[in-house]
Amino acid sequence: MRQALDEAARAPGTGDVPVGAVVLAADGTVLGTGRNAREATGDPTAHAEVLALRAAAFRTGEWRLTGCTLVVTLEPCTMCAGALVLSRVDRVVYGARDAKAGAAGSLWDVVRDRRLNHRPEVITGVLEAECAGLLTAFFRER
Ligand SMILES: [Zn+2]
């Protein structure tokens, strides 16, 4: 989560909301990182989680990220929750909850929907205050 926070802290340089993500292999090796880059790239899908998943898939040469854990500073949205299910990660760890758009337990629970064929384990609230604080500070400045 510290590394995800470091990624998040680099996002506001481009005006992007500070969210960072890291994909870890089963042995703890970092396979991919990402931070929000919608403003920087003009890509509506350039969320931290999607970019980290793409980087990990590129590095491993596999779209299936079985055995991997994605760590992200903010609860994933519906798009990212969908991408996490499709990538077959074993575990999703997030810091701050997103009561307005969260899709991993808050507004929806896409990652644990029993109708889907893959349901990663979800761990919440890791360094929650720090993750939320970064966002609060960003929006206060705006
Ligand atoms: Zn997202």
Short mmCIF file of all heavy atoms in Angstrom, two decimals, residues 39-108:
data_model
loop_
_atom_site.label_atom_id
_atom_site.label_comp_id
_atom_site.label_asym_id
_atom_site.label_seq_id
_atom_site.Cartn_x
_atom_site.Cartn_y
_atom_site.Cartn_z
N GLU A 39 -6.52 12.78 -17.09
CA GLU A 39 -6.19 14.13 -17.56
C GLU A 39 -4.93 14.10 -18.39
O GLU A 39 -4.84 14.75 -19.43
CB GLU A 39 -6.02 15.08 -16.36
CG GLU A 39 -7.23 15.20 -15.45
CD GLU A 39 -8.46 15.76 -16.15
OE1 GLU A 39 -8.32 16.45 -17.17
OE2 GLU A 39 -9.58 15.49 -15.67
N ALA A 40 -3.94 13.34 -17.93
CA ALA A 40 -2.65 13.29 -18.62
C ALA A 40 -2.76 12.69 -20.01
O ALA A 40 -2.07 13.11 -20.94
CB ALA A 40 -1.64 12.49 -17.78
N THR A 41 -3.66 11.71 -20.17
CA THR A 41 -3.73 10.98 -21.44
C THR A 41 -5.00 11.25 -22.24
O THR A 41 -5.07 10.88 -23.41
CB THR A 41 -3.67 9.46 -21.17
OG1 THR A 41 -4.81 9.09 -20.37
CG2 THR A 41 -2.40 9.07 -20.44
N GLY A 42 -6.03 11.84 -21.59
CA GLY A 42 -7.29 12.05 -22.28
C GLY A 42 -8.03 10.74 -22.50
O GLY A 42 -8.93 10.66 -23.33
N ASP A 43 -7.67 9.72 -21.74
CA ASP A 43 -8.28 8.40 -21.87
C ASP A 43 -9.23 8.17 -20.69
O ASP A 43 -8.78 8.11 -19.55
CB ASP A 43 -7.16 7.35 -21.87
CG ASP A 43 -7.68 5.92 -21.90
OD1 ASP A 43 -8.92 5.72 -21.88
OD2 ASP A 43 -6.85 5.01 -21.92
N PRO A 44 -10.54 8.04 -20.98
CA PRO A 44 -11.50 7.88 -19.88
C PRO A 44 -11.31 6.59 -19.09
O PRO A 44 -11.80 6.48 -17.97
CB PRO A 44 -12.87 7.90 -20.58
CG PRO A 44 -12.58 7.54 -21.99
CD PRO A 44 -11.20 8.05 -22.29
N THR A 45 -10.60 5.62 -19.66
CA THR A 45 -10.39 4.35 -18.95
C THR A 45 -9.04 4.30 -18.22
O THR A 45 -8.68 3.25 -17.69
CB THR A 45 -10.49 3.14 -19.90
OG1 THR A 45 -9.35 3.15 -20.78
CG2 THR A 45 -11.77 3.17 -20.72
N ALA A 46 -8.32 5.39 -18.21
CA ALA A 46 -6.97 5.40 -17.61
C ALA A 46 -7.02 5.54 -16.09
O ALA A 46 -6.46 6.46 -15.51
CB ALA A 46 -6.11 6.49 -18.23
N HIS A 47 -7.70 4.59 -15.45
CA HIS A 47 -7.72 4.53 -13.99
C HIS A 47 -6.50 3.75 -13.53
O HIS A 47 -5.99 2.89 -14.25
CB HIS A 47 -8.98 3.82 -13.50
CG HIS A 47 -10.23 4.65 -13.63
ND1 HIS A 47 -11.42 4.31 -13.03
CD2 HIS A 47 -10.46 5.80 -14.31
CE1 HIS A 47 -12.34 5.23 -13.32
NE2 HIS A 47 -11.78 6.14 -14.11
N ALA A 48 -6.08 4.03 -12.30
CA ALA A 48 -4.88 3.40 -11.73
C ALA A 48 -4.92 1.87 -11.84
O ALA A 48 -3.92 1.25 -12.23
CB ALA A 48 -4.74 3.82 -10.27
N GLU A 49 -6.07 1.29 -11.51
CA GLU A 49 -6.17 -0.18 -11.51
C GLU A 49 -6.00 -0.76 -12.91
O GLU A 49 -5.29 -1.75 -13.11
CB GLU A 49 -7.54 -0.63 -10.97
CG GLU A 49 -7.86 -0.19 -9.57
CD GLU A 49 -8.66 1.11 -9.53
OE1 GLU A 49 -8.28 2.07 -10.23
OE2 GLU A 49 -9.66 1.15 -8.80
N VAL A 50 -6.66 -0.14 -13.89
CA VAL A 50 -6.59 -0.64 -15.27
C VAL A 50 -5.14 -0.56 -15.77
O VAL A 50 -4.63 -1.50 -16.38
CB VAL A 50 -7.55 0.15 -16.19
CG1 VAL A 50 -7.26 -0.14 -17.65
CG2 VAL A 50 -9.00 -0.19 -15.85
N LEU A 51 -4.48 0.55 -15.49
CA LEU A 51 -3.10 0.73 -15.95
C LEU A 51 -2.16 -0.27 -15.26
O LEU A 51 -1.25 -0.82 -15.89
CB LEU A 51 -2.65 2.17 -15.72
CG LEU A 51 -3.47 3.22 -16.50
CD1 LEU A 51 -2.99 4.63 -16.18
CD2 LEU A 51 -3.42 2.97 -18.00
N ALA A 52 -2.38 -0.53 -13.97
CA ALA A 52 -1.55 -1.50 -13.25
C ALA A 52 -1.79 -2.92 -13.77
O ALA A 52 -0.85 -3.70 -13.94
CB ALA A 52 -1.84 -1.42 -11.75
N LEU A 53 -3.06 -3.25 -14.06
CA LEU A 53 -3.37 -4.58 -14.60
C LEU A 53 -2.74 -4.76 -15.98
O LEU A 53 -2.18 -5.81 -16.28
CB LEU A 53 -4.90 -4.77 -14.71
CG LEU A 53 -5.66 -4.95 -13.40
CD1 LEU A 53 -7.16 -4.93 -13.65
CD2 LEU A 53 -5.25 -6.24 -12.69
N ARG A 54 -2.82 -3.72 -16.81
CA ARG A 54 -2.22 -3.80 -18.15
C ARG A 54 -0.71 -4.00 -18.06
O ARG A 54 -0.14 -4.80 -18.80
CB ARG A 54 -2.50 -2.51 -18.94
CG ARG A 54 -3.90 -2.44 -19.50
CD ARG A 54 -4.05 -1.20 -20.35
NE ARG A 54 -5.45 -1.04 -20.77
CZ ARG A 54 -6.02 0.13 -20.99
NH1 ARG A 54 -5.32 1.25 -20.86
NH2 ARG A 54 -7.28 0.19 -21.36
N ALA A 55 -0.08 -3.26 -17.15
CA ALA A 55 1.38 -3.37 -16.99
C ALA A 55 1.75 -4.78 -16.53
O ALA A 55 2.72 -5.37 -17.02
CB ALA A 55 1.87 -2.32 -15.99
N ALA A 56 0.97 -5.32 -15.60
CA ALA A 56 1.26 -6.67 -15.08
C ALA A 56 1.04 -7.73 -16.16
O ALA A 56 1.83 -8.67 -16.30
CB ALA A 56 0.38 -6.96 -13.86
N ALA A 57 -0.02 -7.56 -16.94
CA ALA A 57 -0.31 -8.52 -18.02
C ALA A 57 0.78 -8.45 -19.09
O ALA A 57 1.23 -9.48 -19.61
CB ALA A 57 -1.67 -8.22 -18.63
N PHE A 58 1.24 -7.23 -19.38
CA PHE A 58 2.32 -7.05 -20.37
C PHE A 58 3.59 -7.73 -19.87
O PHE A 58 4.25 -8.45 -20.61
CB PHE A 58 2.56 -5.56 -20.61
CG PHE A 58 3.62 -5.29 -21.64
CD1 PHE A 58 3.34 -5.41 -22.99
CD2 PHE A 58 4.90 -4.91 -21.25
CE1 PHE A 58 4.32 -5.17 -23.94
CE2 PHE A 58 5.89 -4.66 -22.19
CZ PHE A 58 5.60 -4.80 -23.55
N ARG A 59 3.89 -7.53 -18.59
CA ARG A 59 5.13 -8.09 -18.04
C ARG A 59 5.11 -9.61 -18.00
O ARG A 59 6.12 -10.26 -18.26
CB ARG A 59 5.35 -7.53 -16.63
CG ARG A 59 6.52 -8.17 -15.94
CD ARG A 59 7.18 -7.30 -14.94
NE ARG A 59 8.25 -8.05 -14.28
CZ ARG A 59 8.78 -7.73 -13.13
NH1 ARG A 59 8.37 -6.65 -12.50
NH2 ARG A 59 9.72 -8.46 -12.60
N THR A 60 3.95 -10.17 -17.66
CA THR A 60 3.87 -11.63 -17.55
C THR A 60 3.53 -12.29 -18.90
O THR A 60 3.70 -13.49 -19.05
CB THR A 60 2.80 -12.06 -16.53
OG1 THR A 60 1.53 -11.55 -16.95
CG2 THR A 60 3.12 -11.53 -15.13
N GLY A 61 3.03 -11.48 -19.83
CA GLY A 61 2.63 -12.05 -21.12
C GLY A 61 1.35 -12.85 -21.02
O GLY A 61 1.05 -13.69 -21.86
N GLU A 62 0.58 -12.59 -19.96
CA GLU A 62 -0.64 -13.36 -19.68
C GLU A 62 -1.76 -12.41 -19.29
O GLU A 62 -1.56 -11.55 -18.45
CB GLU A 62 -0.40 -14.27 -18.45
CG GLU A 62 0.20 -15.62 -18.75
CD GLU A 62 -0.83 -16.60 -19.27
OE1 GLU A 62 -2.04 -16.39 -19.05
OE2 GLU A 62 -0.41 -17.57 -19.92
N TRP A 63 -2.94 -12.58 -19.86
CA TRP A 63 -4.07 -11.77 -19.38
C TRP A 63 -4.58 -12.29 -18.05
O TRP A 63 -5.17 -11.54 -17.27
CB TRP A 63 -5.18 -11.71 -20.42
CG TRP A 63 -5.85 -13.03 -20.72
CD1 TRP A 63 -5.53 -13.89 -21.73
CD2 TRP A 63 -6.93 -13.62 -20.00
NE1 TRP A 63 -6.35 -14.99 -21.67
CE2 TRP A 63 -7.23 -14.85 -20.63
CE3 TRP A 63 -7.68 -13.23 -18.88
CZ2 TRP A 63 -8.23 -15.71 -20.17
CZ3 TRP A 63 -8.69 -14.08 -18.42
CH2 TRP A 63 -8.95 -15.30 -19.08
N ARG A 64 -4.36 -13.58 -17.79
CA ARG A 64 -4.79 -14.17 -16.51
C ARG A 64 -3.76 -13.84 -15.44
O ARG A 64 -2.62 -14.27 -15.54
CB ARG A 64 -4.86 -15.69 -16.63
CG ARG A 64 -6.18 -16.23 -17.05
CD ARG A 64 -6.19 -17.76 -16.97
NE ARG A 64 -7.06 -18.31 -17.98
CZ ARG A 64 -6.70 -18.57 -19.23
NH1 ARG A 64 -5.47 -18.35 -19.64
NH2 ARG A 64 -7.57 -19.04 -20.09
N LEU A 65 -4.20 -13.12 -14.42
CA LEU A 65 -3.28 -12.75 -13.35
C LEU A 65 -3.60 -13.56 -12.09
O LEU A 65 -3.59 -13.05 -10.96
CB LEU A 65 -3.36 -11.24 -13.09
CG LEU A 65 -2.90 -10.38 -14.29
CD1 LEU A 65 -3.16 -8.91 -14.04
CD2 LEU A 65 -1.42 -10.62 -14.60
N THR A 66 -3.85 -14.83 -12.30
CA THR A 66 -4.13 -15.76 -11.20
C THR A 66 -2.97 -15.75 -10.21
O THR A 66 -1.81 -15.76 -10.62
CB THR A 66 -4.32 -17.19 -11.77
OG1 THR A 66 -5.32 -17.14 -12.78
CG2 THR A 66 -4.75 -18.16 -10.69
N GLY A 67 -3.29 -15.70 -8.93
CA GLY A 67 -2.26 -15.70 -7.89
C GLY A 67 -1.84 -14.29 -7.50
O GLY A 67 -1.14 -14.10 -6.51
N CYS A 68 -2.26 -13.32 -8.28
CA CYS A 68 -1.83 -11.93 -8.03
C CYS A 68 -2.77 -11.19 -7.09
O CYS A 68 -3.94 -11.55 -6.92
CB CYS A 68 -1.73 -11.16 -9.35
SG CYS A 68 -0.46 -11.78 -10.45
N THR A 69 -2.22 -10.13 -6.50
CA THR A 69 -2.98 -9.23 -5.63
C THR A 69 -2.89 -7.83 -6.21
O THR A 69 -1.80 -7.39 -6.57
CB THR A 69 -2.39 -9.22 -4.21
OG1 THR A 69 -2.51 -10.54 -3.65
CG2 THR A 69 -3.11 -8.23 -3.30
N LEU A 70 -4.02 -7.13 -6.32
CA LEU A 70 -4.00 -5.73 -6.71
C LEU A 70 -4.26 -4.90 -5.46
O LEU A 70 -5.23 -5.13 -4.74
CB LEU A 70 -5.05 -5.41 -7.77
CG LEU A 70 -5.03 -3.90 -8.15
CD1 LEU A 70 -4.92 -3.71 -9.64
CD2 LEU A 70 -6.24 -3.17 -7.59
N VAL A 71 -3.37 -3.95 -5.21
CA VAL A 71 -3.49 -3.04 -4.08
C VAL A 71 -3.77 -1.66 -4.64
O VAL A 71 -3.07 -1.20 -5.55
CB VAL A 71 -2.18 -3.01 -3.26
CG1 VAL A 71 -2.32 -2.08 -2.06
CG2 VAL A 71 -1.79 -4.42 -2.80
N VAL A 72 -4.81 -0.99 -4.15
CA VAL A 72 -5.18 0.33 -4.66
C VAL A 72 -5.61 1.23 -3.50
O VAL A 72 -6.18 0.76 -2.51
CB VAL A 72 -6.28 0.20 -5.75
CG1 VAL A 72 -7.55 -0.46 -5.22
CG2 VAL A 72 -6.60 1.55 -6.38
N THR A 73 -5.32 2.51 -3.65
CA THR A 73 -5.57 3.44 -2.54
C THR A 73 -7.06 3.74 -2.36
O THR A 73 -7.48 4.08 -1.26
CB THR A 73 -4.80 4.76 -2.74
OG1 THR A 73 -5.16 5.33 -4.01
CG2 THR A 73 -3.30 4.51 -2.72
N LEU A 74 -7.86 3.65 -3.44
CA LEU A 74 -9.29 3.95 -3.36
C LEU A 74 -10.10 2.76 -3.86
O LEU A 74 -9.69 2.09 -4.81
CB LEU A 74 -9.60 5.19 -4.22
CG LEU A 74 -11.06 5.64 -4.28
CD1 LEU A 74 -11.54 6.15 -2.92
CD2 LEU A 74 -11.24 6.74 -5.34
N GLU A 75 -11.22 2.53 -3.24
CA GLU A 75 -12.12 1.45 -3.67
C GLU A 75 -12.38 1.52 -5.18
O GLU A 75 -12.69 2.59 -5.70
CB GLU A 75 -13.44 1.57 -2.91
CG GLU A 75 -14.42 0.46 -3.26
CD GLU A 75 -15.71 0.58 -2.44
OE1 GLU A 75 -15.80 1.43 -1.54
OE2 GLU A 75 -16.63 -0.21 -2.74
N PRO A 76 -12.24 0.40 -5.89
CA PRO A 76 -12.43 0.39 -7.34
C PRO A 76 -13.85 0.78 -7.76
O PRO A 76 -14.82 0.49 -7.07
CB PRO A 76 -12.17 -1.07 -7.73
CG PRO A 76 -11.33 -1.61 -6.62
CD PRO A 76 -11.79 -0.91 -5.38
N CYS A 77 -13.94 1.43 -8.93
CA CYS A 77 -15.24 1.79 -9.53
C CYS A 77 -15.78 0.55 -10.26
O CYS A 77 -15.15 -0.50 -10.27
CB CYS A 77 -15.04 2.95 -10.51
SG CYS A 77 -14.17 2.50 -12.03
N THR A 78 -16.93 0.69 -10.91
CA THR A 78 -17.51 -0.47 -11.61
C THR A 78 -16.61 -0.98 -12.74
O THR A 78 -16.46 -2.18 -12.91
CB THR A 78 -18.90 -0.14 -12.20
OG1 THR A 78 -18.83 1.11 -12.87
CG2 THR A 78 -19.95 -0.10 -11.13
N MET A 79 -16.01 -0.05 -13.50
CA MET A 79 -15.14 -0.47 -14.59
C MET A 79 -13.95 -1.27 -14.06
O MET A 79 -13.63 -2.35 -14.57
CB MET A 79 -14.61 0.75 -15.36
CG MET A 79 -13.56 0.39 -16.40
SD MET A 79 -12.86 1.84 -17.23
CE MET A 79 -11.84 2.54 -15.94
N CYS A 80 -13.31 -0.74 -13.04
CA CYS A 80 -12.12 -1.40 -12.49
C CYS A 80 -12.48 -2.70 -11.79
O CYS A 80 -11.74 -3.69 -11.88
CB CYS A 80 -11.37 -0.46 -11.56
SG CYS A 80 -10.67 0.94 -12.46
N ALA A 81 -13.60 -2.73 -11.10
CA ALA A 81 -14.05 -3.96 -10.45
C ALA A 81 -14.28 -5.03 -11.52
O ALA A 81 -13.89 -6.19 -11.35
CB ALA A 81 -15.32 -3.71 -9.66
N GLY A 82 -14.87 -4.63 -12.66
CA GLY A 82 -15.06 -5.56 -13.77
C GLY A 82 -13.74 -6.07 -14.31
O GLY A 82 -13.57 -7.26 -14.56
N ALA A 83 -12.79 -5.15 -14.46
CA ALA A 83 -11.46 -5.52 -14.97
C ALA A 83 -10.76 -6.48 -14.00
O ALA A 83 -10.05 -7.40 -14.42
CB ALA A 83 -10.61 -4.27 -15.19
N LEU A 84 -10.97 -6.29 -12.71
CA LEU A 84 -10.35 -7.16 -11.70
C LEU A 84 -10.93 -8.57 -11.78
O LEU A 84 -10.19 -9.55 -11.65
CB LEU A 84 -10.55 -6.57 -10.30
CG LEU A 84 -9.70 -5.32 -10.04
CD1 LEU A 84 -10.23 -4.52 -8.86
CD2 LEU A 84 -8.25 -5.72 -9.82
N VAL A 85 -12.23 -8.66 -12.01
CA VAL A 85 -12.85 -9.98 -12.16
C VAL A 85 -12.31 -10.65 -13.43
O VAL A 85 -11.90 -11.81 -13.42
CB VAL A 85 -14.39 -9.86 -12.22
CG1 VAL A 85 -15.03 -11.19 -12.62
CG2 VAL A 85 -14.94 -9.37 -10.89
N LEU A 86 -12.25 -9.90 -14.52
CA LEU A 86 -11.80 -10.45 -15.81
C LEU A 86 -10.34 -10.86 -15.79
O LEU A 86 -9.94 -11.77 -16.51
CB LEU A 86 -12.04 -9.43 -16.93
CG LEU A 86 -13.51 -9.14 -17.24
CD1 LEU A 86 -13.61 -8.02 -18.27
CD2 LEU A 86 -14.23 -10.38 -17.73
N SER A 87 -9.53 -10.19 -14.98
CA SER A 87 -8.10 -10.50 -14.94
C SER A 87 -7.81 -11.68 -14.02
O SER A 87 -6.68 -12.16 -13.97
CB SER A 87 -7.30 -9.28 -14.49
OG SER A 87 -7.58 -9.00 -13.13
N ARG A 88 -8.82 -12.12 -13.27
CA ARG A 88 -8.70 -13.30 -12.39
C ARG A 88 -7.72 -13.11 -11.24
O ARG A 88 -7.11 -14.08 -10.78
CB ARG A 88 -8.28 -14.55 -13.17
CG ARG A 88 -9.11 -14.86 -14.40
CD ARG A 88 -10.42 -15.51 -14.02
NE ARG A 88 -11.06 -16.14 -15.16
CZ ARG A 88 -11.91 -15.52 -16.00
NH1 ARG A 88 -12.21 -14.26 -15.82
NH2 ARG A 88 -12.45 -16.18 -17.00
N VAL A 89 -7.54 -11.86 -10.79
CA VAL A 89 -6.66 -11.68 -9.62
C VAL A 89 -7.26 -12.42 -8.42
O VAL A 89 -8.46 -12.56 -8.31
CB VAL A 89 -6.43 -10.19 -9.26
CG1 VAL A 89 -5.68 -9.47 -10.37
CG2 VAL A 89 -7.74 -9.49 -8.94
N ASP A 90 -6.39 -12.88 -7.53
CA ASP A 90 -6.85 -13.61 -6.35
C ASP A 90 -7.39 -12.68 -5.27
O ASP A 90 -8.25 -13.07 -4.49
CB ASP A 90 -5.69 -14.41 -5.73
CG ASP A 90 -5.46 -15.73 -6.44
OD1 ASP A 90 -5.95 -15.88 -7.58
OD2 ASP A 90 -4.78 -16.60 -5.86
N ARG A 91 -6.83 -11.45 -5.23
CA ARG A 91 -7.11 -10.60 -4.08
C ARG A 91 -7.10 -9.14 -4.48
O ARG A 91 -6.28 -8.72 -5.30
CB ARG A 91 -6.01 -10.85 -3.03
CG ARG A 91 -6.29 -10.38 -1.63
CD ARG A 91 -5.22 -10.91 -0.66
NE ARG A 91 -5.18 -12.39 -0.66
CZ ARG A 91 -4.27 -13.13 -1.29
NH1 ARG A 91 -3.29 -12.58 -1.96
NH2 ARG A 91 -4.34 -14.44 -1.26
N VAL A 92 -8.00 -8.38 -3.88
CA VAL A 92 -8.05 -6.93 -4.05
C VAL A 92 -7.94 -6.30 -2.67
O VAL A 92 -8.69 -6.66 -1.76
CB VAL A 92 -9.38 -6.49 -4.71
CG1 VAL A 92 -9.41 -4.98 -4.87
CG2 VAL A 92 -9.59 -7.18 -6.04
N VAL A 93 -6.98 -5.41 -2.52
CA VAL A 93 -6.78 -4.71 -1.25
C VAL A 93 -6.95 -3.23 -1.52
O VAL A 93 -6.33 -2.69 -2.43
CB VAL A 93 -5.35 -4.97 -0.71
CG1 VAL A 93 -5.12 -4.24 0.61
CG2 VAL A 93 -5.09 -6.46 -0.55
N TYR A 94 -7.84 -2.56 -0.78
CA TYR A 94 -7.96 -1.12 -0.98
C TYR A 94 -7.95 -0.35 0.33
O TYR A 94 -8.20 -0.92 1.39
CB TYR A 94 -9.14 -0.75 -1.87
CG TYR A 94 -10.54 -0.97 -1.32
CD1 TYR A 94 -11.13 -0.06 -0.46
CD2 TYR A 94 -11.29 -2.07 -1.73
CE1 TYR A 94 -12.43 -0.23 0.00
CE2 TYR A 94 -12.59 -2.25 -1.28
CZ TYR A 94 -13.15 -1.33 -0.41
OH TYR A 94 -14.43 -1.50 0.04
N GLY A 95 -7.62 0.95 0.21
CA GLY A 95 -7.51 1.79 1.39
C GLY A 95 -8.81 2.49 1.71
O GLY A 95 -9.57 2.05 2.58
N ALA A 96 -9.08 3.59 0.98
CA ALA A 96 -10.26 4.39 1.28
C ALA A 96 -11.50 3.84 0.60
O ALA A 96 -11.44 3.35 -0.52
CB ALA A 96 -10.02 5.84 0.82
N ARG A 97 -12.63 3.93 1.30
CA ARG A 97 -13.91 3.56 0.70
C ARG A 97 -14.39 4.69 -0.20
O ARG A 97 -14.07 5.84 0.04
CB ARG A 97 -14.96 3.31 1.79
CG ARG A 97 -14.75 2.03 2.57
CD ARG A 97 -15.66 1.99 3.79
NE ARG A 97 -17.07 2.16 3.42
CZ ARG A 97 -17.90 1.17 3.09
NH1 ARG A 97 -17.46 -0.07 3.08
NH2 ARG A 97 -19.15 1.41 2.78
N ASP A 98 -15.18 4.34 -1.23
CA ASP A 98 -15.78 5.35 -2.10
C ASP A 98 -17.29 5.18 -2.04
O ASP A 98 -17.87 4.40 -2.80
CB ASP A 98 -15.25 5.20 -3.53
CG ASP A 98 -15.75 6.32 -4.45
OD1 ASP A 98 -16.61 7.12 -4.01
OD2 ASP A 98 -15.27 6.39 -5.59
N ALA A 99 -17.91 5.91 -1.13
CA ALA A 99 -19.34 5.76 -0.89
C ALA A 99 -20.18 6.16 -2.10
O ALA A 99 -21.29 5.68 -2.29
CB ALA A 99 -19.76 6.59 0.32
N LYS A 100 -19.62 7.03 -2.97
CA LYS A 100 -20.38 7.54 -4.11
C LYS A 100 -20.27 6.66 -5.36
O LYS A 100 -21.16 6.68 -6.20
CB LYS A 100 -19.90 8.95 -4.47
CG LYS A 100 -20.32 9.99 -3.46
CD LYS A 100 -19.83 11.37 -3.87
CE LYS A 100 -20.18 12.41 -2.81
NZ LYS A 100 -19.37 13.62 -2.96
N ALA A 101 -19.17 5.92 -5.50
CA ALA A 101 -18.98 5.16 -6.74
C ALA A 101 -18.27 3.82 -6.53
O ALA A 101 -17.92 3.15 -7.49
CB ALA A 101 -18.19 6.00 -7.74
N GLY A 102 -18.06 3.40 -5.30
CA GLY A 102 -17.32 2.17 -5.02
C GLY A 102 -18.07 0.93 -5.46
O GLY A 102 -19.26 0.79 -5.21
N ALA A 103 -17.35 0.01 -6.11
CA ALA A 103 -17.96 -1.22 -6.60
C ALA A 103 -17.30 -2.46 -5.99
O ALA A 103 -17.29 -3.53 -6.57
CB ALA A 103 -17.90 -1.27 -8.12
N ALA A 104 -16.75 -2.26 -4.78
CA ALA A 104 -16.18 -3.40 -4.06
C ALA A 104 -16.68 -3.37 -2.62
O ALA A 104 -15.90 -3.50 -1.66
CB ALA A 104 -14.65 -3.36 -4.13
N GLY A 105 -17.98 -3.15 -2.49
CA GLY A 105 -18.59 -3.23 -1.16
C GLY A 105 -19.42 -2.02 -0.76
O GLY A 105 -20.31 -2.14 0.08
N SER A 106 -19.15 -0.84 -1.35
CA SER A 106 -19.88 0.35 -0.93
C SER A 106 -21.21 0.50 -1.65
O SER A 106 -22.27 0.18 -1.11
CB SER A 106 -19.03 1.61 -1.12
OG SER A 106 -17.97 1.61 -0.19
N LEU A 107 -21.15 1.01 -2.90
CA LEU A 107 -22.38 1.23 -3.65
C LEU A 107 -22.82 -0.05 -4.36
O LEU A 107 -24.00 -0.36 -4.44
CB LEU A 107 -22.15 2.36 -4.66
CG LEU A 107 -23.37 3.01 -5.29
CD1 LEU A 107 -24.35 3.51 -4.24
CD2 LEU A 107 -22.93 4.17 -6.17
N TRP A 108 -21.85 -0.77 -4.91
CA TRP A 108 -22.06 -2.08 -5.51
C TRP A 108 -21.03 -3.03 -4.94
O TRP A 108 -20.11 -2.59 -4.25
CB TRP A 108 -21.85 -2.03 -7.04
CG TRP A 108 -22.81 -1.18 -7.77
CD1 TRP A 108 -24.11 -1.48 -8.09
CD2 TRP A 108 -22.56 0.13 -8.31
NE1 TRP A 108 -24.65 -0.43 -8.79
CE2 TRP A 108 -23.75 0.56 -8.94
CE3 TRP A 108 -21.45 0.97 -8.31
CZ2 TRP A 108 -23.86 1.79 -9.57
CZ3 TRP A 108 -21.55 2.20 -8.93
CH2 TRP A 108 -22.74 2.60 -9.55
#
